[in-house]
Amino acid sequence: MEILQQRSTTAQVWQAAEEFIRLFHRENAGAGDPRARLAVVRAELADTGTYVQTPAELVHGARVAWRNSNRCIGRLYWNSLRVRDRRGLTDADAIAAECFDHLREATNGGRVRPTITVFAPETPDRPGPVIWSEQLVRYAGYGDHPSITVGDARNAPLTGALLQLGWSGGAGTPFDLLPLVVQGVDDKPRWFDTPADAVLEVPIDHPDGDGWADWRLRWHAVPAISNMCLEIGGIHYPAAPFNGWYMGTEIGARNLADTDRYNLLPAVARRLGLDTSSDRSLWKDRALVELNRAVLHSFDRAGVTIADHHSESRRFLSHMEREERKGREVGADWSWIVPPISGSATPVFHRTYEDRPSSTAYVHHRGAQERAQGRDLV
């Protein structure tokens, strides 16, 4: 599969580089006058068509990309992002090993740390490596129809492709760890079994008991996005997995509740004895609240970092106020910032936002979503 994006011209790279270098020097005390650095970058571009960012530029750029993420509500913590510089790696085996180390370090015994690992960039001479998997941790979906899928229905196409490639499958439970799919430079995509010791999982139970533990529900602790490209100052890093920590609704209102994922609301409603004969009984709403209570309760009991949507909404407005005091405008996508449960009960609901583009950002490039589903993997 062709994974190169349309090449930027040297002039376009220079424009983005100049903008970023000036931003870096403006926001980092002691960086000094940017003119000397800009002269070096211009010379590199003239000689090679690209340039190498300094470690400090990479760190600041990755953090600013998080600051610019219009769909992320948790940006108050952008300046705490830990950056693992692995730009020298282009081989799939080494990249997979570092991805698993990323998970171990980010998990941090349950005190989840926002982390990014940055692998080799694209250059005029070659593509960069690519991680096909949507996240570093995904659960298998066995079956070809949502009504009979065991596991995560979203991942059924990728699971099927991996089985055709020779993966033997897991134990057949709803929470079997999928292999990680990595494509190195000048290589075809390959899969790597996810080590159990790299993934912390939280058993899901309900604070009121009621036999929820019998379902053996669980979810992993670290949401590490791995199929987005990090773009900084005209340089593209196609393999740059990053994580924050979960907001409870991501698990309880989406992953476990969506009809094209685990579709648990009917089962929760039956467990609660709710009348499901009519939507007017609001059985879905009541089941959704209890499922979200179970997620928050379980992560808290396990000592694993998780945010609730009310607290995170207030923190996002604090982030906006802090950025505005620094003279920086904050972009946001309302449809992503407003939580998928009790939206109007949160302060982020009652205002509008501008979805501002940025040249320093995390971007889904063409074909990323198709690769995450295993298309053309076989």
Side-chain angles (χ1 to χ4, degrees):
M1 172 181 284
E2 178 65 35
I3 59 174
L4 280 172
Q5 308 305 313
Q6 183 177 354
R7 290 294 188 195
S8 299
T9 66
T10 301
Q12 289 171 324
V13 176
W14 166 249
Q15 182 179 7
E18 182 180 22
E19 177 185 336
F20 172 71
I21 296 298
R22 292 189 183 280
L23 173 75
F24 173 80
H25 282 253
R26 193 165 60 245
E27 296 189 351
N28 287 272
D33 192 315
R35 285 178 292 185
R37 175 60 178 149
L38 286 170
V40 171
V41 170
R42 185 184 283 277
E44 280 190 69
L45 280 170
D47 288 343
T48 67
T50 188
Y51 70 101
V52 178
Q53 291 165 342
T54 68
E57 289 167 354
L58 180 72
V59 169
H60 193 65
R63 290 172 175 173
V64 169
W66 186 10
R67 188 174 81 193
N68 291 339
S69 297
N70 289 353
R71 292 182 170 184
C72 179
I73 195 173
R75 283 177 270 168
L76 179 64
Y77 319 101
W78 68 271
N79 210 27
S80 68
L81 181 67
R82 299 173 66 252
V83 180
R84 305 173 74 242
D85 186 350
R86 302 295 186 271
R87 287 178 288 174
L89 299 183
T90 60
D91 178 72
D93 293 87
I95 290 170
E98 282 293 340
C99 285
F100 299 136
D101 281 345
H102 173 126
L103 285 172
R104 295 182 183 100
E105 293 181 24
T107 300
N108 190 33
R111 299 184 64 183
V112 179
R113 298 183 288 197
T115 303
I116 184 170
T117 302
V118 184
F119 297 107
E122 291 181 354
T123 73
D125 301 324
R126 58 156 177 75
V130 173
I131 299 171
W132 284 46
S133 304
E134 186 177 41
Q135 294 193 23
L136 295 185
V137 181
R138 293 275 81 176
Y139 292 121
Y142 303 104
D144 57 6
H145 190 280
S147 66
I148 59 171
T149 298
V150 174
D152 194 338
R154 179 182 181 89
N155 299 322
L158 177 59
T159 303
L162 286 166
L163 290 169
Q164 289 186 58
L165 281 177
W167 180 53
S168 60
T173 76
F175 300 99
D176 290 349
L177 294 174
L178 275 175
L180 183 68
V181 181
V182 180
Q183 184 168 3
V185 172
D186 299 324
D187 195 5
K188 63 182 180 181
R190 297 159 54 203
W191 58 267
F192 299 85
D193 279 318
T194 302
D197 76 300
V199 182
L200 175 63
E201 295 179 286
V202 177
I204 306 298
D205 199 359
H206 194 275
D208 298 338
D210 297 329
W212 283 53
D214 297 343
W215 288 349
R216 298 182 180 179
L217 302 177
R218 60 180 184 268
W219 204 259
H220 57 93
V222 178
I225 306 297
S226 52
N227 70 336
M228 297 184 78
C229 179
L230 170 62
E231 299 183 354
I232 304 173
I235 305 300
H236 293 182
Y237 301 97
F242 64 93
N243 70 274
W245 49 71
Y246 271 116
M247 189 164 74
T249 54
E250 295 178 82
I251 303 169
R254 300 302 309 277
N255 300 341
L256 295 177
D258 280 357
T259 56
D260 61 347
R261 300 294 298 280
Y262 281 82
N263 193 25
L264 286 182
L265 293 188
V268 172
R270 289 192 295 270
R271 176 61 58 91
L272 297 173
L274 303 179
D275 174 14
T276 61
S277 62
S278 169
D279 286 345
R280 294 178 68 86
S281 71
L282 302 185
W283 65 269
K284 294 178 184 177
D285 309 74
R286 296 170 65 187
L288 195 60
V289 168
E290 295 307 321
L291 186 52
N292 279 269
R293 283 186 68 205
V295 169
L296 292 173
H297 161 77
S298 300
F299 271 66
D300 287 346
R301 184 182 60 181
V304 175
T305 306
I306 195 167
D308 69 86
H309 52 293
H310 295 288
S311 299
E312 210 59 61
S313 295
R314 291 191 296 271
R315 290 169 186 157
F316 180 71
L317 295 188
S318 296
H319 165 69
M320 292 190 70
E321 293 169 1
R322 181 181 298 179
E323 290 298 300
E324 288 165 1
R325 286 196 300 269
K326 293 180 179 293
R328 296 192 290 253
E329 296 177 324
V330 177
D333 182 336
W334 190 94
S335 66
W336 281 74
I337 295 299
V338 173
I341 179 175
S342 305
S344 64
T346 65
V348 293
F349 177 92
H350 301 279
R351 57 177 299 163
T352 59
Y353 309 92
E354 185 174 344
D355 194 352
R356 301 178 184 278
S358 174
S359 59
T360 299
Y362 300 101
V363 178
H364 272 123
H365 277 177
R366 177 173 51 85
Q369 303 290 21
E370 290 77 11
R371 289 193 292 273
Q373 292 297 305
R375 190 174 299 177
D376 297 335
L377 184 58
V378 179

